[in-house]
Amino acid sequence: MSDEDRVRWDRRYADRGSVTVDDVALPAVFQPFAQEFPTAGRALDLACGGGGAAVWLAQRGMDVWAVDVSPVAIAQARELAEQCGVAAHCHFEVCDLDHGLPSGLSADVVICNMFRDSRLDRSVIERLSPGGLLAVSALSEVGASPGPFRVTSGELRQAYRALEVIATEEAHGQAWLLARAGPDDSPAPR
Ligand SMILES: C[S@@+](CC[C@H](N)C(=O)[O-])C[C@H]1O[C@@H](n2cnc3c(N)ncnc32)[C@H](O)[C@@H]1O
């Protein structure tokens, strides 16, 4: 990512001000499926922003590794985890996903909310543990005008076709997908 873009994200988080416990939440589109999320194991949050979802996962019982390119966002996420008493279960790191997924252990949950880089699709699938849960959302062209950061119709379903889809939707300019890896190393049914 260019320095200019990083500064833009930093400024956006700085302008938002301090984080509070009210920021802790599973992204709204996944909330009806909260019970699908495990209460133990490892989670990976990609482009975690201020850490609201990461801290939610940690409060649920998971150990969370969360990354974002913005140092300001990561500082806020660390502060939120401290406030919520789950800092010991969260590891927040500044990381530019333009360089790919950082290597690490398999994850029982991978969440990537409102960030899309199709170059990561394969490594995201490979990072999931057997039976692991994937929760992704992005801006969409469906119900909105085409744009450089918007997924096309059916893009998420196609990208993650190796997984078993639990639920997915594209409407009003947002696409999201909740899916599960197969029970073992073999590809899930298509
Ligand atoms: C729309 S926000 C979503 C944040 C968070 N997932 C949420 O739901 O609130 C997009 C996030 O992507 C991060 N981001 C953008 N480009 C990135 C990159 N190349 N590597 C890592 N994070 C990036 C931004 O800093 C920002 O926090």
Side-chain angles (χ1 to χ4, degrees), residues 1-2 5-6 8-10 12-13 16 23 25-27 45-53 67-71 73-74 93-100 111-117 119-120 137 139 149:
M1 161 176 282
S2 68
D5 284 345
R6 193 195 325 265
R8 195 169 48 84
W9 279 113
D10 277 344
R12 192 182 289 195
Y13 284 105
R16 193 179 75 160
D23 297 312
L26 193 58
D45 187 350
L46 302 174
C48 65
V67 300
D68 197 282
V69 77
S70 164
I74 289 297
E93 201 173 316
V94 175
C95 169
D96 186 348
L97 292 165
D98 282 357
H99 303 307
I111 185 164
C112 185
N113 189 60
M114 297 306 276
F115 174 78
R116 173 80 181 138
D117 184 340
R119 297 171 299 180
L120 301 175
S137 83
L139 291 172
F149 300 111

mmCIF file of all heavy atoms in Angstrom, residues 1-2 5-6 8-10 12-13 16 23 25-27 45-53 67-71 73-74 93-100 111-117 119-120 137 139 149, ligand 1:
data_model
loop_
_atom_site.group_PDB
_atom_site.id
_atom_site.type_symbol
_atom_site.label_atom_id
_atom_site.label_comp_id
_atom_site.label_asym_id
_atom_site.label_seq_id
_atom_site.Cartn_x
_atom_site.Cartn_y
_atom_site.Cartn_z
ATOM 1 N N MET A 1 0.844 -1.198 0.000
ATOM 2 C CA MET A 1 0.000 0.000 0.000
ATOM 3 C C MET A 1 0.876 1.244 0.000
ATOM 4 O O MET A 1 1.920 1.262 0.644
ATOM 5 C CB MET A 1 -0.904 -0.041 1.236
ATOM 6 C CG MET A 1 -1.479 1.297 1.616
ATOM 7 S SD MET A 1 -2.606 1.229 2.989
ATOM 8 C CE MET A 1 -4.078 0.609 2.218
ATOM 9 N N SER A 2 0.423 2.252 -0.699
ATOM 10 C CA SER A 2 1.208 3.490 -0.742
ATOM 11 C C SER A 2 1.149 4.188 0.615
ATOM 12 O O SER A 2 0.192 4.019 1.385
ATOM 13 C CB SER A 2 0.650 4.413 -1.821
ATOM 14 O OG SER A 2 -0.626 4.877 -1.429
ATOM 15 N N ASP A 5 -2.045 6.170 0.983
ATOM 16 C CA ASP A 5 -3.246 5.425 1.389
ATOM 17 C C ASP A 5 -3.200 5.085 2.881
ATOM 18 O O ASP A 5 -4.202 5.143 3.579
ATOM 19 C CB ASP A 5 -3.378 4.141 0.566
ATOM 20 C CG ASP A 5 -3.874 4.424 -0.844
ATOM 21 O OD1 ASP A 5 -4.370 5.543 -1.078
ATOM 22 O OD2 ASP A 5 -3.749 3.543 -1.705
ATOM 23 N N ARG A 6 -2.012 4.720 3.340
ATOM 24 C CA ARG A 6 -1.894 4.373 4.765
ATOM 25 C C ARG A 6 -2.217 5.598 5.638
ATOM 26 O O ARG A 6 -2.940 5.499 6.632
ATOM 27 C CB ARG A 6 -0.490 3.861 5.073
ATOM 28 C CG ARG A 6 -0.395 3.194 6.445
ATOM 29 C CD ARG A 6 1.044 3.023 6.877
ATOM 30 N NE ARG A 6 1.926 2.732 5.775
ATOM 31 C CZ ARG A 6 2.300 1.509 5.393
ATOM 32 N NH1 ARG A 6 1.852 0.473 6.051
ATOM 33 N NH2 ARG A 6 3.109 1.335 4.374
ATOM 34 N N ARG A 8 -4.113 7.970 4.868
ATOM 35 C CA ARG A 8 -5.563 8.207 4.780
ATOM 36 C C ARG A 8 -6.320 7.336 5.779
ATOM 37 O O ARG A 8 -7.202 7.800 6.491
ATOM 38 C CB ARG A 8 -6.021 7.916 3.340
ATOM 39 C CG ARG A 8 -7.395 8.439 2.992
ATOM 40 C CD ARG A 8 -7.645 8.342 1.484
ATOM 41 N NE ARG A 8 -7.305 7.031 0.926
ATOM 42 C CZ ARG A 8 -8.116 5.965 0.936
ATOM 43 N NH1 ARG A 8 -9.319 6.072 1.463
ATOM 44 N NH2 ARG A 8 -7.734 4.826 0.409
ATOM 45 N N TRP A 9 -5.907 6.073 5.865
ATOM 46 C CA TRP A 9 -6.563 5.186 6.837
ATOM 47 C C TRP A 9 -6.249 5.629 8.261
ATOM 48 O O TRP A 9 -7.135 5.656 9.127
ATOM 49 C CB TRP A 9 -6.126 3.728 6.632
ATOM 50 C CG TRP A 9 -6.872 3.058 5.519
ATOM 51 C CD1 TRP A 9 -6.373 2.630 4.331
ATOM 52 C CD2 TRP A 9 -8.280 2.756 5.487
ATOM 53 N NE1 TRP A 9 -7.373 2.085 3.558
ATOM 54 C CE2 TRP A 9 -8.538 2.144 4.234
ATOM 55 C CE3 TRP A 9 -9.326 2.952 6.380
ATOM 56 C CZ2 TRP A 9 -9.818 1.724 3.879
ATOM 57 C CZ3 TRP A 9 -10.605 2.525 6.022
ATOM 58 C CH2 TRP A 9 -10.827 1.922 4.786
ATOM 59 N N ASP A 10 -4.982 5.989 8.494
ATOM 60 C CA ASP A 10 -4.605 6.451 9.842
ATOM 61 C C ASP A 10 -5.463 7.647 10.252
ATOM 62 O O ASP A 10 -5.958 7.714 11.378
ATOM 63 C CB ASP A 10 -3.123 6.849 9.873
ATOM 64 C CG ASP A 10 -2.207 5.655 10.070
ATOM 65 O OD1 ASP A 10 -2.701 4.588 10.482
ATOM 66 O OD2 ASP A 10 -0.998 5.800 9.812
ATOM 67 N N ARG A 12 -8.351 8.488 9.148
ATOM 68 C CA ARG A 12 -9.747 8.110 9.365
ATOM 69 C C ARG A 12 -9.946 7.539 10.791
ATOM 70 O O ARG A 12 -10.906 7.874 11.474
ATOM 71 C CB ARG A 12 -10.174 7.074 8.320
ATOM 72 C CG ARG A 12 -11.669 6.869 8.299
ATOM 73 C CD ARG A 12 -12.099 5.832 7.307
ATOM 74 N NE ARG A 12 -11.967 6.231 5.917
ATOM 75 C CZ ARG A 12 -12.544 5.581 4.905
ATOM 76 N NH1 ARG A 12 -13.274 4.513 5.154
ATOM 77 N NH2 ARG A 12 -12.391 5.971 3.671
ATOM 78 N N TYR A 13 -9.001 6.694 11.207
ATOM 79 C CA TYR A 13 -9.133 6.127 12.565
ATOM 80 C C TYR A 13 -8.869 7.178 13.635
ATOM 81 O O TYR A 13 -9.548 7.201 14.676
ATOM 82 C CB TYR A 13 -8.204 4.914 12.734
ATOM 83 C CG TYR A 13 -8.767 3.701 12.018
ATOM 84 C CD1 TYR A 13 -8.226 3.250 10.821
ATOM 85 C CD2 TYR A 13 -9.888 3.043 12.519
ATOM 86 C CE1 TYR A 13 -8.761 2.170 10.144
ATOM 87 C CE2 TYR A 13 -10.442 1.961 11.850
ATOM 88 C CZ TYR A 13 -9.873 1.523 10.664
ATOM 89 O OH TYR A 13 -10.428 0.462 9.998
ATOM 90 N N ARG A 16 -11.839 9.273 14.206
ATOM 91 C CA ARG A 16 -12.917 8.556 14.897
ATOM 92 C C ARG A 16 -12.837 8.732 16.415
ATOM 93 O O ARG A 16 -13.811 8.570 17.137
ATOM 94 C CB ARG A 16 -12.830 7.070 14.528
ATOM 95 C CG ARG A 16 -14.029 6.275 14.895
ATOM 96 C CD ARG A 16 -13.849 4.848 14.476
ATOM 97 N NE ARG A 16 -12.929 4.131 15.350
ATOM 98 C CZ ARG A 16 -12.874 2.809 15.453
ATOM 99 N NH1 ARG A 16 -13.660 2.061 14.725
ATOM 100 N NH2 ARG A 16 -12.037 2.226 16.270
ATOM 101 N N ASP A 23 -17.865 -0.577 20.728
ATOM 102 C CA ASP A 23 -17.328 -0.935 19.405
ATOM 103 C C ASP A 23 -17.167 -2.446 19.243
ATOM 104 O O ASP A 23 -16.862 -2.920 18.144
ATOM 105 C CB ASP A 23 -15.964 -0.271 19.184
ATOM 106 C CG ASP A 23 -16.071 1.247 19.169
ATOM 107 O OD1 ASP A 23 -16.965 1.750 18.465
ATOM 108 O OD2 ASP A 23 -15.293 1.911 19.866
ATOM 109 N N ALA A 25 -18.188 -5.934 18.504
ATOM 110 C CA ALA A 25 -19.333 -6.587 17.855
ATOM 111 C C ALA A 25 -18.858 -7.441 16.695
ATOM 112 O O ALA A 25 -17.865 -7.123 16.035
ATOM 113 C CB ALA A 25 -20.317 -5.546 17.320
ATOM 114 N N LEU A 26 -19.602 -8.486 16.472
ATOM 115 C CA LEU A 26 -19.483 -9.199 15.211
ATOM 116 C C LEU A 26 -20.109 -8.277 14.158
ATOM 117 O O LEU A 26 -21.138 -7.647 14.425
ATOM 118 C CB LEU A 26 -20.280 -10.497 15.337
ATOM 119 C CG LEU A 26 -20.098 -11.590 14.299
ATOM 120 C CD1 LEU A 26 -18.637 -12.044 14.219
ATOM 121 C CD2 LEU A 26 -21.000 -12.775 14.640
ATOM 122 N N PRO A 27 -19.515 -8.168 12.967
ATOM 123 C CA PRO A 27 -20.143 -7.322 11.945
ATOM 124 C C PRO A 27 -21.625 -7.693 11.763
ATOM 125 O O PRO A 27 -21.992 -8.869 11.814
ATOM 126 C CB PRO A 27 -19.326 -7.639 10.690
ATOM 127 C CG PRO A 27 -17.977 -8.009 11.211
ATOM 128 C CD PRO A 27 -18.239 -8.746 12.500
ATOM 129 N N ASP A 45 -8.102 -12.335 12.031
ATOM 130 C CA ASP A 45 -8.918 -11.219 11.533
ATOM 131 C C ASP A 45 -8.056 -10.391 10.588
ATOM 132 O O ASP A 45 -7.071 -9.780 11.005
ATOM 133 C CB ASP A 45 -9.420 -10.374 12.713
ATOM 134 C CG ASP A 45 -10.406 -9.293 12.278
ATOM 135 O OD1 ASP A 45 -10.569 -9.065 11.064
ATOM 136 O OD2 ASP A 45 -11.018 -8.672 13.173
ATOM 137 N N LEU A 46 -8.435 -10.377 9.311
ATOM 138 C CA LEU A 46 -7.663 -9.666 8.283
ATOM 139 C C LEU A 46 -8.244 -8.278 8.063
ATOM 140 O O LEU A 46 -9.462 -8.145 7.885
ATOM 141 C CB LEU A 46 -7.700 -10.469 6.983
ATOM 142 C CG LEU A 46 -7.160 -11.889 7.080
ATOM 143 C CD1 LEU A 46 -7.385 -12.638 5.767
ATOM 144 C CD2 LEU A 46 -5.680 -11.884 7.448
ATOM 145 N N ALA A 47 -7.386 -7.267 8.076
ATOM 146 C CA ALA A 47 -7.821 -5.866 7.976
ATOM 147 C C ALA A 47 -8.810 -5.577 9.103
ATOM 148 O O ALA A 47 -9.957 -5.199 8.870
ATOM 149 C CB ALA A 47 -8.415 -5.579 6.594
ATOM 150 N N CYS A 48 -8.333 -5.753 10.316
ATOM 151 C CA CYS A 48 -9.199 -5.770 11.507
ATOM 152 C C CYS A 48 -9.696 -4.400 11.933
ATOM 153 O O CYS A 48 -10.574 -4.309 12.797
ATOM 154 C CB CYS A 48 -8.461 -6.424 12.666
ATOM 155 S SG CYS A 48 -6.998 -5.480 13.206
ATOM 156 N N GLY A 49 -9.128 -3.332 11.367
ATOM 157 C CA GLY A 49 -9.563 -2.000 11.782
ATOM 158 C C GLY A 49 -9.357 -1.814 13.281
ATOM 159 O O GLY A 49 -8.334 -2.219 13.837
ATOM 160 N N GLY A 50 -10.338 -1.203 13.927
ATOM 161 C CA GLY A 50 -10.232 -0.914 15.354
ATOM 162 C C GLY A 50 -10.455 -2.091 16.269
ATOM 163 O O GLY A 50 -10.510 -1.929 17.504
ATOM 164 N N GLY A 51 -10.586 -3.286 15.724
ATOM 165 C CA GLY A 51 -10.570 -4.496 16.544
ATOM 166 C C GLY A 51 -11.902 -4.928 17.133
ATOM 167 O O GLY A 51 -11.946 -5.841 17.970
ATOM 168 N N GLY A 52 -12.998 -4.328 16.699
ATOM 169 C CA GLY A 52 -14.301 -4.685 17.269
ATOM 170 C C GLY A 52 -14.646 -6.159 17.129
ATOM 171 O O GLY A 52 -15.105 -6.799 18.080
ATOM 172 N N ALA A 53 -14.406 -6.713 15.952
ATOM 173 C CA ALA A 53 -14.722 -8.131 15.733
ATOM 174 C C ALA A 53 -13.703 -9.022 16.435
ATOM 175 O O ALA A 53 -14.061 -10.057 17.019
ATOM 176 C CB ALA A 53 -14.755 -8.434 14.236
ATOM 177 N N VAL A 67 -4.671 -8.374 12.032
ATOM 178 C CA VAL A 67 -3.697 -7.521 11.341
ATOM 179 C C VAL A 67 -4.401 -6.413 10.576
ATOM 180 O O VAL A 67 -5.537 -6.573 10.111
ATOM 181 C CB VAL A 67 -2.820 -8.355 10.367
ATOM 182 C CG1 VAL A 67 -2.048 -9.426 11.098
ATOM 183 C CG2 VAL A 67 -3.642 -8.956 9.242
ATOM 184 N N ASP A 68 -3.705 -5.298 10.446
ATOM 185 C CA ASP A 68 -4.203 -4.182 9.655
ATOM 186 C C ASP A 68 -3.006 -3.323 9.261
ATOM 187 O O ASP A 68 -1.989 -3.300 9.956
ATOM 188 C CB ASP A 68 -5.197 -3.330 10.463
ATOM 189 C CG ASP A 68 -6.042 -2.431 9.577
ATOM 190 O OD1 ASP A 68 -5.534 -1.385 9.128
ATOM 191 O OD2 ASP A 68 -7.216 -2.776 9.319
ATOM 192 N N VAL A 69 -3.142 -2.619 8.154
ATOM 193 C CA VAL A 69 -2.034 -1.793 7.669
ATOM 194 C C VAL A 69 -1.894 -0.491 8.457
ATOM 195 O O VAL A 69 -0.847 0.145 8.421
ATOM 196 C CB VAL A 69 -2.222 -1.498 6.159
ATOM 197 C CG1 VAL A 69 -3.275 -0.424 5.929
ATOM 198 C CG2 VAL A 69 -0.906 -1.137 5.498
ATOM 199 N N SER A 70 -2.956 -0.107 9.167
ATOM 200 C CA SER A 70 -2.941 1.182 9.864
ATOM 201 C C SER A 70 -2.436 1.041 11.295
ATOM 202 O O SER A 70 -3.093 0.407 12.138
ATOM 203 C CB SER A 70 -4.368 1.765 9.887
ATOM 204 O OG SER A 70 -4.449 2.788 10.850
ATOM 205 N N PRO A 71 -1.292 1.665 11.619
ATOM 206 C CA PRO A 71 -0.814 1.626 13.005
ATOM 207 C C PRO A 71 -1.799 2.275 13.981
ATOM 208 O O PRO A 71 -1.892 1.849 15.137
ATOM 209 C CB PRO A 71 0.506 2.425 12.966
ATOM 210 C CG PRO A 71 0.939 2.409 11.542
ATOM 211 C CD PRO A 71 -0.321 2.354 10.731
ATOM 212 N N ALA A 73 -5.117 2.222 13.728
ATOM 213 C CA ALA A 73 -6.159 1.220 13.978
ATOM 214 C C ALA A 73 -5.656 0.145 14.937
ATOM 215 O O ALA A 73 -6.368 -0.264 15.866
ATOM 216 C CB ALA A 73 -6.596 0.581 12.653
ATOM 217 N N ILE A 74 -4.437 -0.294 14.731
ATOM 218 C CA ILE A 74 -3.894 -1.363 15.582
ATOM 219 C C ILE A 74 -3.738 -0.869 17.024
ATOM 220 O O ILE A 74 -4.053 -1.609 17.979
ATOM 221 C CB ILE A 74 -2.556 -1.884 14.998
ATOM 222 C CG1 ILE A 74 -2.823 -2.677 13.710
ATOM 223 C CG2 ILE A 74 -1.793 -2.736 16.014
ATOM 224 C CD1 ILE A 74 -3.653 -3.945 13.870
ATOM 225 N N GLU A 93 -1.268 -6.780 15.052
ATOM 226 C CA GLU A 93 -0.005 -6.516 14.361
ATOM 227 C C GLU A 93 -0.235 -5.637 13.129
ATOM 228 O O GLU A 93 -1.192 -5.856 12.381
ATOM 229 C CB GLU A 93 0.564 -7.870 13.920
ATOM 230 C CG GLU A 93 2.026 -7.865 13.647
ATOM 231 C CD GLU A 93 2.514 -9.301 13.392
ATOM 232 O OE1 GLU A 93 2.119 -10.224 14.141
ATOM 233 O OE2 GLU A 93 3.247 -9.477 12.423
ATOM 234 N N VAL A 94 0.645 -4.678 12.929
ATOM 235 C CA VAL A 94 0.606 -3.885 11.702
ATOM 236 C C VAL A 94 1.156 -4.750 10.574
ATOM 237 O O VAL A 94 2.243 -5.317 10.688
ATOM 238 C CB VAL A 94 1.447 -2.596 11.837
ATOM 239 C CG1 VAL A 94 1.486 -1.839 10.509
ATOM 240 C CG2 VAL A 94 0.903 -1.705 12.953
ATOM 241 N N CYS A 95 0.387 -4.859 9.509
ATOM 242 C CA CYS A 95 0.780 -5.760 8.416
ATOM 243 C C CYS A 95 0.126 -5.269 7.128
ATOM 244 O O CYS A 95 -1.064 -4.957 7.120
ATOM 245 C CB CYS A 95 0.291 -7.169 8.772
ATOM 246 S SG CYS A 95 0.386 -8.342 7.439
ATOM 247 N N ASP A 96 0.903 -5.197 6.080
ATOM 248 C CA ASP A 96 0.363 -4.803 4.770
ATOM 249 C C ASP A 96 0.029 -6.065 3.980
ATOM 250 O O ASP A 96 0.919 -6.794 3.526
ATOM 251 C CB ASP A 96 1.407 -3.952 4.031
ATOM 252 C CG ASP A 96 0.849 -3.388 2.729
ATOM 253 O OD1 ASP A 96 -0.231 -3.829 2.291
ATOM 254 O OD2 ASP A 96 1.505 -2.495 2.157
ATOM 255 N N LEU A 97 -1.259 -6.304 3.808
ATOM 256 C CA LEU A 97 -1.697 -7.528 3.128
ATOM 257 C C LEU A 97 -1.405 -7.489 1.627
ATOM 258 O O LEU A 97 -1.569 -8.506 0.946
ATOM 259 C CB LEU A 97 -3.187 -7.763 3.390
ATOM 260 C CG LEU A 97 -3.497 -8.126 4.857
ATOM 261 C CD1 LEU A 97 -4.993 -7.991 5.145
ATOM 262 C CD2 LEU A 97 -3.035 -9.546 5.185
ATOM 263 N N ASP A 98 -0.940 -6.355 1.121
ATOM 264 C CA ASP A 98 -0.474 -6.320 -0.273
ATOM 265 C C ASP A 98 0.688 -7.301 -0.469
ATOM 266 O O ASP A 98 0.959 -7.732 -1.589
ATOM 267 C CB ASP A 98 0.029 -4.922 -0.657
ATOM 268 C CG ASP A 98 -1.115 -3.964 -0.953
ATOM 269 O OD1 ASP A 98 -2.279 -4.410 -0.906
ATOM 270 O OD2 ASP A 98 -0.836 -2.787 -1.217
ATOM 271 N N HIS A 99 1.361 -7.620 0.629
ATOM 272 C CA HIS A 99 2.497 -8.555 0.542
ATOM 273 C C HIS A 99 2.058 -9.997 0.791
ATOM 274 O O HIS A 99 2.906 -10.877 0.957
ATOM 275 C CB HIS A 99 3.587 -8.156 1.541
ATOM 276 C CG HIS A 99 4.070 -6.744 1.350
ATOM 277 N ND1 HIS A 99 4.513 -6.272 0.138
ATOM 278 C CD2 HIS A 99 4.128 -5.690 2.194
ATOM 279 C CE1 HIS A 99 4.841 -4.997 0.251
ATOM 280 N NE2 HIS A 99 4.608 -4.613 1.482
ATOM 281 N N GLY A 100 0.760 -10.215 0.874
ATOM 282 C CA GLY A 100 0.238 -11.561 1.074
ATOM 283 C C GLY A 100 -0.114 -11.803 2.524
ATOM 284 O O GLY A 100 0.118 -10.954 3.402
ATOM 285 N N ILE A 111 -11.787 -14.159 9.548
ATOM 286 C CA ILE A 111 -12.780 -13.116 9.279
ATOM 287 C C ILE A 111 -12.086 -11.985 8.523
ATOM 288 O O ILE A 111 -10.943 -11.632 8.827
ATOM 289 C CB ILE A 111 -13.458 -12.637 10.586
ATOM 290 C CG1 ILE A 111 -14.577 -11.648 10.281
ATOM 291 C CG2 ILE A 111 -12.454 -12.046 11.557
ATOM 292 C CD1 ILE A 111 -15.529 -11.434 11.464
ATOM 293 N N CYS A 112 -12.783 -11.473 7.545
ATOM 294 C CA CYS A 112 -12.235 -10.374 6.738
ATOM 295 C C CYS A 112 -13.424 -9.508 6.348
ATOM 296 O O CYS A 112 -14.103 -9.794 5.357
ATOM 297 C CB CYS A 112 -11.507 -10.931 5.516
ATOM 298 S SG CYS A 112 -10.704 -9.650 4.564
ATOM 299 N N ASN A 113 -13.680 -8.501 7.135
ATOM 300 C CA ASN A 113 -14.893 -7.710 6.962
ATOM 301 C C ASN A 113 -14.606 -6.395 6.259
ATOM 302 O O ASN A 113 -13.813 -5.571 6.733
ATOM 303 C CB ASN A 113 -15.526 -7.424 8.336
ATOM 304 C CG ASN A 113 -16.900 -6.803 8.192
ATOM 305 O OD1 ASN A 113 -17.788 -7.418 7.593
ATOM 306 N ND2 ASN A 113 -17.086 -5.609 8.720
ATOM 307 N N MET A 114 -15.248 -6.224 5.131
ATOM 308 C CA MET A 114 -15.137 -4.984 4.341
ATOM 309 C C MET A 114 -13.705 -4.691 3.902
ATOM 310 O O MET A 114 -13.229 -3.553 3.948
ATOM 311 C CB MET A 114 -15.733 -3.797 5.109
ATOM 312 C CG MET A 114 -17.220 -3.960 5.372
ATOM 313 S SD MET A 114 -18.189 -4.278 3.868
ATOM 314 C CE MET A 114 -18.429 -2.622 3.265
ATOM 315 N N PHE A 115 -13.053 -5.754 3.480
ATOM 316 C CA PHE A 115 -11.747 -5.632 2.837
ATOM 317 C C PHE A 115 -11.658 -6.759 1.828
ATOM 318 O O PHE A 115 -12.046 -7.899 2.121
ATOM 319 C CB PHE A 115 -10.614 -5.756 3.866
ATOM 320 C CG PHE A 115 -9.250 -5.787 3.217
ATOM 321 C CD1 PHE A 115 -8.668 -4.622 2.769
ATOM 322 C CD2 PHE A 115 -8.572 -6.992 3.050
ATOM 323 C CE1 PHE A 115 -7.414 -4.647 2.157
ATOM 324 C CE2 PHE A 115 -7.327 -7.027 2.442
ATOM 325 C CZ PHE A 115 -6.740 -5.852 1.996
ATOM 326 N N ARG A 116 -11.156 -6.434 0.639
ATOM 327 C CA ARG A 116 -11.117 -7.454 -0.407
ATOM 328 C C ARG A 116 -9.810 -7.361 -1.171
ATOM 329 O O ARG A 116 -9.452 -6.283 -1.669
ATOM 330 C CB ARG A 116 -12.305 -7.233 -1.364
ATOM 331 C CG ARG A 116 -12.282 -8.123 -2.592
ATOM 332 C CD ARG A 116 -12.795 -9.487 -2.298
ATOM 333 N NE ARG A 116 -12.737 -10.348 -3.473
ATOM 334 C CZ ARG A 116 -12.354 -11.618 -3.439
ATOM 335 N NH1 ARG A 116 -12.009 -12.181 -2.291
ATOM 336 N NH2 ARG A 116 -12.321 -12.339 -4.536
ATOM 337 N N ASP A 117 -9.110 -8.469 -1.235
ATOM 338 C CA ASP A 117 -7.947 -8.586 -2.114
ATOM 339 C C ASP A 117 -7.963 -10.018 -2.635
ATOM 340 O O ASP A 117 -7.647 -10.960 -1.893
ATOM 341 C CB ASP A 117 -6.658 -8.293 -1.334
ATOM 342 C CG ASP A 117 -5.440 -8.324 -2.252
ATOM 343 O OD1 ASP A 117 -5.523 -8.923 -3.336
ATOM 344 O OD2 ASP A 117 -4.405 -7.749 -1.867
ATOM 345 N N ARG A 119 -6.105 -11.631 -4.365
ATOM 346 C CA ARG A 119 -4.827 -12.358 -4.355
ATOM 347 C C ARG A 119 -4.679 -13.194 -3.095
ATOM 348 O O ARG A 119 -3.839 -14.096 -3.031
ATOM 349 C CB ARG A 119 -3.658 -11.364 -4.457
ATOM 350 C CG ARG A 119 -3.635 -10.576 -5.756
ATOM 351 C CD ARG A 119 -2.611 -9.474 -5.708
ATOM 352 N NE ARG A 119 -2.899 -8.512 -4.644
ATOM 353 C CZ ARG A 119 -2.158 -7.446 -4.368
ATOM 354 N NH1 ARG A 119 -1.077 -7.205 -5.068
ATOM 355 N NH2 ARG A 119 -2.494 -6.617 -3.402
ATOM 356 N N LEU A 120 -5.504 -12.910 -2.078
ATOM 357 C CA LEU A 120 -5.394 -13.642 -0.806
ATOM 358 C C LEU A 120 -6.284 -14.884 -0.756
ATOM 359 O O LEU A 120 -6.171 -15.694 0.168
ATOM 360 C CB LEU A 120 -5.782 -12.722 0.361
ATOM 361 C CG LEU A 120 -4.970 -11.436 0.529
ATOM 362 C CD1 LEU A 120 -5.556 -10.596 1.652
ATOM 363 C CD2 LEU A 120 -3.508 -11.762 0.808
ATOM 364 N N SER A 137 -16.707 -10.122 3.917
ATOM 365 C CA SER A 137 -17.654 -9.180 3.318
ATOM 366 C C SER A 137 -16.868 -8.111 2.576
ATOM 367 O O SER A 137 -15.694 -7.874 2.860
ATOM 368 C CB SER A 137 -18.565 -8.538 4.370
ATOM 369 O OG SER A 137 -17.922 -7.455 4.984
ATOM 370 N N LEU A 139 -17.483 -4.439 -0.274
ATOM 371 C CA LEU A 139 -18.363 -3.599 -1.090
ATOM 372 C C LEU A 139 -18.686 -4.361 -2.376
ATOM 373 O O LEU A 139 -17.838 -5.095 -2.888
ATOM 374 C CB LEU A 139 -17.668 -2.285 -1.432
ATOM 375 C CG LEU A 139 -17.441 -1.308 -0.286
ATOM 376 C CD1 LEU A 139 -16.571 -0.141 -0.751
ATOM 377 C CD2 LEU A 139 -18.767 -0.800 0.263
ATOM 378 N N PHE A 149 -13.157 -0.914 -5.864
ATOM 379 C CA PHE A 149 -13.060 -1.721 -4.642
ATOM 380 C C PHE A 149 -14.295 -2.590 -4.434
ATOM 381 O O PHE A 149 -14.494 -3.140 -3.369
ATOM 382 C CB PHE A 149 -12.838 -0.808 -3.424
ATOM 383 C CG PHE A 149 -11.577 -0.005 -3.543
ATOM 384 C CD1 PHE A 149 -11.631 1.361 -3.723
ATOM 385 C CD2 PHE A 149 -10.338 -0.632 -3.504
ATOM 386 C CE1 PHE A 149 -10.471 2.105 -3.853
ATOM 387 C CE2 PHE A 149 -9.170 0.107 -3.636
ATOM 388 C CZ PHE A 149 -9.233 1.476 -3.810
HETATM 389 C C1 LIG B 1 -13.502 -0.663 5.629
HETATM 390 S S1 LIG B 1 -12.210 -0.945 6.807
HETATM 391 C C2 LIG B 1 -12.779 -2.407 7.617
HETATM 392 C C3 LIG B 1 -12.143 -2.588 8.967
HETATM 393 C C4 LIG B 1 -12.700 -3.725 9.804
HETATM 394 N N1 LIG B 1 -12.546 -5.027 9.182
HETATM 395 C C5 LIG B 1 -14.129 -3.470 10.167
HETATM 396 O O1 LIG B 1 -15.002 -4.256 9.809
HETATM 397 O O2 LIG B 1 -14.393 -2.452 10.835
HETATM 398 C C6 LIG B 1 -10.891 -1.561 5.793
HETATM 399 C C7 LIG B 1 -9.613 -1.818 6.559
HETATM 400 O O3 LIG B 1 -8.657 -2.363 5.678
HETATM 401 C C8 LIG B 1 -7.384 -1.901 6.078
HETATM 402 N N2 LIG B 1 -6.493 -2.090 4.933
HETATM 403 C C9 LIG B 1 -6.569 -1.482 3.720
HETATM 404 N N3 LIG B 1 -5.587 -1.921 2.925
HETATM 405 C C10 LIG B 1 -4.867 -2.821 3.644
HETATM 406 C C11 LIG B 1 -3.716 -3.604 3.378
HETATM 407 N N4 LIG B 1 -3.100 -3.547 2.196
HETATM 408 N N5 LIG B 1 -3.249 -4.430 4.340
HETATM 409 C C12 LIG B 1 -3.872 -4.498 5.549
HETATM 410 N N6 LIG B 1 -4.956 -3.763 5.871
HETATM 411 C C13 LIG B 1 -5.457 -2.933 4.925
HETATM 412 C C14 LIG B 1 -7.626 -0.463 6.473
HETATM 413 O O4 LIG B 1 -6.634 0.060 7.292
HETATM 414 C C15 LIG B 1 -8.979 -0.587 7.174
HETATM 415 O O5 LIG B 1 -8.815 -0.803 8.547
#
